Amino acid sequence: MLDSCKLKSAFNLPFIYNKKINTTGTSNADVPLADPGMYQLDITLRRGQSLAARDRGGTSDPYVKFKIGRKEVFRSKIIHKNLNPVWEEKACILIDHLREPLYIKVFDYDFGLQDDFMGSAFLDLTQLELNRPTDVTLTLKDPHYPDHDLGIILLSVLLTAKKGESRDVDLSENEVVGSYFSVKSFFWRFQTQSLRLSDQHRKSHLWRGIVSITLIEGRALKAMDSNGLSDPYVKFRLGHQKYKSKIMPKTLNPQWREQFDFHLYEERGGIIDITAWDKDAGKRDDFIGRCQVDLSSLSREQTHKLELQLEEGEGHLVLLVTLTASPTVSISDLSANSLEDQKEREEILKRYSPLRIFHNLKDVGFLQVKVIRAESLMAADVTGKSDPFCVVELNNDRLLTHTVYKNLNPEWNKVFTFNIKDIHSVLEVTVYDEDRDRSADFLGKVAIPLLSIQNGEQKAYVLKNKQLTGPTKGVIYLEIDVIFNAVKASLRTLIPKEQKYIEEENRLSKQLLLRNFIRTKRCVMVLVNAAYYVNSCFDWDSPPRSLAAFVVVEDMLEDEEEEDDKDDKDSEKKGFINKIYAIQEVCVSVQNILDEVASFGERIKNTFNWTVPFLSWLAIVALCVFTIILYFIPLRYIVLVWGINKFTKKLRSPYAIDNNELLDFLSRVPSDVQVVQYQELKPDPSHSPYKRKKNNLG
């Protein structure tokens, strides 16, 4: 017979001590009370007083994070330029025990930069009385500077027990200590309860809609440079989501015409923070102005044209904003598998059948990802273990699994579904180690092009490093299914590719710069060799080849446009550090240009090498269709129709985004670097713990 105290310790069962939670007013501090299974904590964030100033103007833009254990459970809105902010925000949090305190952290919001810490405090949940509203005043402190006065935060809290859930975890002492099997049953039921709770918390990762934003132009922006002009760009932020536009050099009336999407996580919409900046090489970028868009005031399924006045500056920004309902995105257990349900599978197949070509062209296909388990992960903690969780990304769609604590061979058994907007997208699955007080540690990553997936096959993918250039420790088991409409996928290939707004900016790297130079040199040498080959035809080194070239050669006219860019010299004297920064930015620009040139040449080569058969077949079909059209319709009529379409495009659709179909097609072809990143590594069977266990038993 097992001892009950040891049993509670071994399985870390949810027991608390009844201090102030009884309703009789008597103290039972030493009497253990079985956890009722789940609590509801209602918090009202009232206001802050005398908070710390973190901005140069002597103010701050404070917001508050609430955390329980390792998870952020609530984040308040941002109150701009106020040291005595009033929030009056409410949050409802479900918790499965009271052992972990509620941590409150206050930050100063800095757009585009790391937010400044303004102080923290914690609330001991075991000190709260059930069913009694309590006003709480918390003094903010900085652990590194405990003597500094950082102000106070005022809350109202109400703790209630969710008794309806108690039947899943309530066991008598006889059940707990009766036998090994009853203990195992208890542990399984408690684990199921925890997973159910984590699913409720994780609903915050599922978005309720999509905000489609088109940045059209700026008008009469403020001149920040000595030449009376600016180099403006715009930053957008909605919660954790960020987007940065391209830089338009030397203009006060920039034309961006960029389109991107944000996810809506809140039912009421949220607020988009928009700031305009002037790019300065070697110096801190100048602030031009800011504005906001309150999404709750916009109607859904309708495009809104907004002309926004920039506050704290001059000029306007013109946007198109559209709010649409969320696509089919979900998280579920393996038991709730959409494709295994025959009725649901038939509906999905019908939705993407060839007969529904022109129904919602943006909805190209359906993706289901089963994240089953991982093996032999890297130990990230000092205990020799890790707390792994998995992030599944498809373009800007990002979903997370729950965390499996203190385990190098975690089992998640989760099913994720996505809508596919571009069949040439790459599925990225990243494993992280969760840490309490700092950002998660990277454990491994795999990148899988959708067109390379074999449906219904459970595969072991060797985890790679961050750059996807080599293996790291561990293997992840996935089962992926892709259903798509080939015609829709082909049409979507000829429109601009969706840009990932969470990608990190490129930094200067000597190794990367050298690699891009070698790649560019290789592409240039191909052109040089082709030029030598053509020149040999004129020299009649090979008479048959020269004769053939003489027969098929035609005069070609090339229009060359030369642009003379005059660089304005900066009259201001820069310090040594500023010059270093300027040189570094120039080197990064050269590094990126070399990468673009090399990638362009490699994509052309890989199109003819059949690296992606779908794209090569698409190119052949397009050439055949064009040949047939030329046979029946004279070329001059085709050029006439093309010219009319190009010249009237701005009249028919003033805010259309310019694109080149050929470049959009080539952007889907992987470069040589991407081919290496997407290449699967073969797992070593001897590294599997299941294999080792079987060998040991043998």
Side-chain angles (χ1 to χ4, degrees):
M1 187 71 67
L2 296 174
D3 183 79
S4 61
C5 294
K6 293 181 179 179
L7 201 58
K8 286 183 281 187
S9 175
F11 286 102
N12 196 20
L13 301 183
F15 280 77
I16 60 173
Y17 286 92
N18 187 13
K19 294 182 178 180
K20 291 186 178 180
I21 302 180
N22 60 74
T23 58
T24 62
T26 60
S27 175
N28 296 320
D30 298 328
V31 181
L33 176 69
D35 196 320
M38 185 176 291
Y39 293 93
Q40 178 174 316
L41 182 64
D42 294 297
I43 305 173
T44 302
L45 174 60
R46 298 293 185 190
R47 62 185 185 276
Q49 292 182 359
S50 304
L51 301 185
R54 292 290 186 256
D55 294 339
R56 287 179 293 181
T59 62
S60 293
D61 304 319
Y63 67 92
V64 183
K65 289 182 182 180
F66 291 87
K67 295 180 70 175
I68 293 182
R70 301 169 182 262
K71 294 291 185 183
E72 179 182 322
V73 294
F74 178 72
R75 177 181 293 205
S76 75
K77 63 184 179 183
I78 302 166
I79 305 296
H80 291 284
K81 299 188 180 303
N82 201 324
L83 299 182
N84 298 284
V86 177
W87 285 284
E88 292 297 337
E89 291 189 60
K90 295 183 178 181
C92 178
I93 303 169
L94 296 176
I95 53 180
D96 55 353
H97 58 76
L98 304 179
R99 295 191 302 272
E100 295 283 357
L102 175 68
Y103 285 93
I104 296 94
K105 295 185 178 182
V106 185
F107 293 89
D108 168 53
Y109 169 66
D110 284 331
F111 192 86
L113 302 173
Q114 185 175 359
D115 295 344
D116 297 322
F117 178 70
M118 296 178 62
S120 64
F122 72 92
L123 177 63
D124 187 356
L125 300 181
T126 62
Q127 301 297 321
L128 298 177
E129 295 186 34
L130 284 176
N131 304 316
R132 179 176 176 178
T134 306
D135 292 329
V136 180
T137 301
L138 299 174
T139 302
L140 297 176
K141 293 293 183 182
D142 187 340
H144 300 290
Y145 306 98
D147 297 333
H148 289 190
D149 183 12
L150 301 179
I152 59 175
I153 292 290
L154 287 82
L155 312 172
S156 294
V157 295
L158 173 63
L159 182 67
T160 56
K162 304 291 287 183
K163 296 181 180 179
E165 303 289 340
S166 60
R167 55 188 174 87
D168 284 335
V169 293
D170 279 347
L171 291 176
S172 66
E173 185 173 346
N174 291 333
E175 283 181 284
V176 174
V177 298
S179 68
Y180 167 78
F181 294 101
S182 64
V183 172
K184 188 175 181 181
S185 174
F186 176 87
F187 181 71
W188 178 83
R189 283 194 295 231
F190 173 64
Q191 187 180 40
T192 304
Q193 174 71 19
S194 298
L195 289 178
R196 186 185 305 128
L197 176 64
S198 65
D199 284 341
Q200 295 186 34
H201 282 313
R202 204 167 54 251
K203 286 182 180 178
S204 61
H205 298 297
L206 297 179
W207 46 95
R208 295 177 171 87
I210 291 178
V211 188
S212 180
I213 302 172
T214 304
L215 173 60
I216 302 298
E217 62 185 2
R219 298 175 182 170
L221 300 184
K222 186 176 181 180
M224 306 302 295
D225 296 339
S226 57
N227 56 10
L229 299 173
S230 293
D231 303 319
Y233 65 93
V234 182
K235 291 181 179 180
F236 296 80
R237 178 165 178 170
L238 178 61
H240 295 285
Q241 305 169 88
K242 299 178 183 179
Y243 179 82
K244 178 181 176 182
S245 76
K246 60 188 177 184
I247 300 169
M248 305 301 293
K250 298 180 176 58
T251 179
L252 299 180
N253 299 283
Q255 298 283 326
W256 283 287
R257 300 189 184 277
E258 296 183 46
Q259 193 275 330
F260 59 95
D261 294 337
F262 280 157
H263 292 140
L264 271 178
Y265 292 91
E266 300 180 18
E267 195 66 41
R268 60 180 183 271
I271 295 177
I272 301 177
D273 291 311
I274 306 171
T275 53
W277 300 82
D278 168 55
K279 180 66 176 178
D280 281 333
K283 298 190 299 182
R284 187 184 181 94
D285 294 347
D286 296 322
F287 177 76
I288 296 178
R290 67 157 36 98
C291 56
Q292 290 183 333
V293 177
D294 186 358
L295 298 178
S296 61
S297 63
L298 303 180
S299 57
R300 299 195 174 224
E301 309 299 336
Q302 181 181 349
T303 300
H304 305 268
K305 180 184 176 183
L306 306 177
E307 296 186 12
L308 305 174
Q309 171 72 42
L310 290 177
E311 300 175 1
E312 307 173 35
E314 300 175 5
H316 295 77
L317 293 179
V318 180
L319 311 176
L320 297 181
V321 181
T322 307
L323 278 69
T324 57
S326 174
T328 306
V329 180
S330 66
I331 304 176
S332 61
D333 295 318
L334 286 180
S335 57
N337 186 346
S338 299
L339 293 180
E340 288 184 0
D341 186 332
Q342 189 61 29
K343 186 176 179 180
E344 286 192 32
R345 185 181 183 90
E346 289 177 358
E347 287 190 3
I348 293 172
L349 290 172
K350 182 180 178 181
R351 191 194 314 165
Y352 302 109
S353 66
L355 300 178
R356 306 194 69 182
I357 296 175
F358 300 105
H359 178 74
N360 192 3
L361 288 175
K362 291 185 177 181
D363 186 12
V364 171
F366 174 84
L367 172 66
Q368 177 177 280
V369 183
K370 295 181 185 178
V371 182
I372 300 170
R373 68 179 189 273
E375 296 177 359
S376 305
L377 295 179
M378 187 189 309
D381 298 337
V382 293
T383 58
K385 298 288 184 180
S386 292
D387 303 323
F389 67 95
C390 200
V391 178
V392 183
E393 297 178 81
L394 184 68
N395 292 332
N396 292 313
D397 297 345
R398 193 170 190 261
L399 297 174
L400 288 75
T401 68
H402 61 281
T403 302
V404 180
Y405 294 102
K406 301 188 183 305
N407 202 322
L408 299 181
N409 303 290
E411 293 192 12
W412 292 288
N413 292 322
K414 291 296 173 186
V415 180
F416 301 88
T417 63
F418 299 88
N419 266 42
I420 300 174
K421 293 179 281 187
D422 188 350
I423 195 58
H424 309 289
S425 301
V426 177
L427 176 69
E428 295 183 359
V429 182
T430 312
V431 183
Y432 292 96
D433 168 66
E434 185 181 289
D435 281 325
R436 179 188 296 270
D437 298 321
R438 52 195 176 94
S439 59
D441 295 326
F442 176 85
L443 296 180
K445 181 178 182 179
V446 292
I448 309 166
L450 298 186
L451 286 172
S452 68
I453 292 171
Q454 298 177 357
N455 285 351
E457 180 183 356
Q458 185 181 136
K459 294 185 67 175
Y461 293 89
V462 176
L463 294 174
K464 296 183 177 181
N465 54 26
K466 283 185 179 181
Q467 294 76 27
L468 295 171
T469 54
T472 187
K473 192 176 181 183
V475 176
I476 188 167
Y477 287 81
L478 307 173
E479 184 178 327
I480 312 173
D481 289 272
V482 177
I483 298 173
F484 68 98
N485 185 300
V487 178
K488 285 185 181 181
S490 301
L491 294 175
R492 291 284 293 175
T493 304
L494 303 178
I495 67 174
K497 189 176 181 180
E498 181 179 5
Q499 182 178 351
K500 283 193 78 171
Y501 50 74
I502 58 173
E503 284 185 332
E504 296 182 357
E505 294 185 357
N506 291 328
R507 297 181 179 180
L508 181 61
S509 167
K510 180 181 177 181
Q511 183 179 2
L512 186 60
L513 182 63
L514 180 61
R515 186 187 71 180
N516 291 343
F517 177 78
I518 294 174
R519 290 170 58 205
T520 306
K521 180 182 176 181
R522 193 182 302 128
C523 294
V524 171
M525 289 307 299
V526 171
L527 297 177
V528 171
N529 292 334
Y532 280 132
Y533 182 86
V534 172
N535 189 55
S536 67
C537 294
F538 294 103
D539 292 339
W540 291 85
D541 295 336
S542 174
R545 186 176 65 198
S546 299
L547 183 62
F550 179 75
V551 173
V552 301
V553 72
E554 293 181 1
D555 293 333
M556 300 180 63
L557 297 176
E558 295 181 357
D559 297 327
E560 297 182 357
E561 297 181 359
E562 296 182 358
E563 297 181 358
D564 296 329
D565 296 332
K566 296 182 179 179
D567 298 329
D568 297 321
K569 295 183 179 180
D570 191 1
S571 58
E572 300 179 0
K573 292 184 178 181
K574 298 180 179 179
F576 179 74
I577 299 299
N578 290 341
K579 290 183 179 180
I580 294 296
Y581 283 139
I583 294 173
Q584 183 175 347
E585 289 193 4
V586 170
C587 292
V588 171
S589 299
V590 172
Q591 174 180 288
N592 294 339
I593 292 172
L594 290 175
D595 178 58
E596 290 179 6
V597 172
S599 297
F600 184 79
E602 291 167 355
R603 288 188 171 111
I604 296 175
K605 178 198 69 173
N606 291 335
T607 301
F608 291 97
N609 285 351
W610 291 76
T611 302
V612 182
F614 181 91
L615 290 171
S616 298
W617 276 116
L618 181 60
I620 290 175
V621 170
L623 288 174
C624 292
V625 171
F626 187 68
T627 302
I628 295 172
I629 292 175
L630 278 177
Y631 181 78
F632 290 102
I633 303 175
L635 179 61
R636 61 180 180 274
Y637 292 129
I638 297 176
V639 174
L640 180 63
V641 171
W642 175 83
I644 292 174
N645 175 65
K646 282 293 183 183
F647 280 106
T648 61
K649 189 174 182 180
K650 294 296 182 184
L651 298 176
R652 291 182 284 108
S653 182
Y655 302 117
I657 298 175
D658 297 328
N659 72 300
N660 184 296
E661 289 78 7
L662 180 59
L663 294 180
D664 292 333
F665 171 85
L666 287 175
S667 69
R668 267 56 174 214
V669 182
S671 64
D672 288 351
V673 173
Q674 291 172 323
V675 169
V676 174
Q677 291 176 340
Y678 304 156
Q679 188 176 12
E680 290 184 26
L681 302 178
K682 293 183 179 180
D684 186 355
S686 63
H687 289 169
S688 172
Y690 298 94
K691 184 78 173 179
R692 290 198 299 268
K693 187 181 295 184
K694 185 176 180 181
N695 293 337
N696 293 336
L697 291 174

